[in-house]
Amino acid sequence: MYTHVEKEYFMQEAILEAKKAGDKLEVPIGAVIVIDGKIIARGHNMREETNDATTHAEMIAIREANQFMESWRLEDASLFVTLEPCPMCSGAMIMSRMKEVYYGASDPKGGTAGTLLNLLTDTRFNHQVIVEKGILEEECGKLLSDFFRELRLRKKAEKLKQKND
């Protein structure tokens, strides 16, 4: 387990990844994977860029960590992500034997680390992941709400332009 200061530091790094996604007009979600206090992998959403539904921030970071470790097992790894993981990403954390996950904002529409359900601590699976929520929650949530507000404004402006053309 990490100290409060360390958790915030690693979440800030995940936020930097989220901002990279937002700069590409991707949903701004970012993740980093840490082992022994060192970041070994990073990822940010790339679904629009890749046209691949599996290129969530967590999935990209897990793939990078597997390559770095030269193993599919990430038993000593901690994942920091700006938004609560979805079912696919939670499944990948279980399957990679991730030690723990820290997330910022909850996801009321797709969160499976405690909001809709908790796949990560379900004892019916052969592995459980320690979960801690709310790390820099306000900042992580603001990234998403600002992004979607700007997206709605952009779409509204496009409709007005089309109407006036």
Side-chain angles (χ1 to χ4, degrees):
M1 297 288 278
Y2 292 97
T3 67
H4 180 73
V5 171
E6 289 170 322
K7 291 173 193 174
E8 287 193 354
Y9 170 77
F10 293 127
M11 189 59 73
Q12 283 291 350
E13 291 295 311
I15 288 169
L16 291 175
E17 287 298 314
K19 288 178 179 178
K20 290 178 188 176
D23 289 345
K24 300 178 188 179
L25 301 180
E26 298 273 358
V27 177
I29 301 168
V32 297
I33 295 179
V34 178
I35 293 181
D36 296 328
K38 294 185 179 111
I39 296 172
I40 64 159
R42 297 173 176 273
H44 58 271
N45 263 9
M46 295 179 63
R47 289 188 309 172
E48 300 299 327
E49 183 179 334
T50 62
N51 289 314
D52 180 347
T54 68
T55 53
H56 287 197
E58 302 97 308
M59 299 296 287
I60 291 166
I62 288 169
R63 285 184 195 115
E64 191 174 294
N66 291 146
Q67 290 172 351
F68 178 85
M69 297 300 294
E70 297 181 346
S71 174
W72 62 268
R73 294 177 190 267
L74 298 173
E75 294 163 321
D76 296 321
S78 301
L79 188 141
F80 291 79
V81 62
T82 56
L83 182 67
E84 180 179 2
C86 73
M88 173 182 65
C89 294
S90 289
M93 290 173 208
I94 292 166
M95 300 311 291
S96 66
R97 310 296 194 265
M98 187 77 55
K99 180 180 177 182
E100 51 199 11
V101 62
Y102 299 90
Y103 70 87
S106 295
D107 184 354
K109 295 181 179 179
T112 59
T115 299
L116 295 179
L117 56 125
N118 195 338
L119 293 177
L120 296 169
T121 61
D122 192 320
T123 57
R124 293 174 292 178
F125 291 111
N126 66 334
H127 179 77
Q128 289 78 46
V129 181
I130 297 165
V131 176
E132 186 175 330
K133 66 179 183 174
I135 311 297
L136 298 179
E137 181 176 14
E138 191 174 314
E139 191 173 344
C140 292
K142 187 173 177 353
L143 273 174
L144 291 159
S145 58
D146 289 353
F147 174 81
F148 285 112
R149 182 173 37 261
E150 289 173 26
L151 187 63
R152 285 190 297 276
L153 289 172
R154 193 177 305 115
K155 286 183 178 182
K156 193 174 185 179
E158 286 173 12
K159 281 184 182 178
L160 273 173
K161 187 176 186 258
Q162 288 175 352
K163 186 179 178 183
N164 293 332
D165 285 347

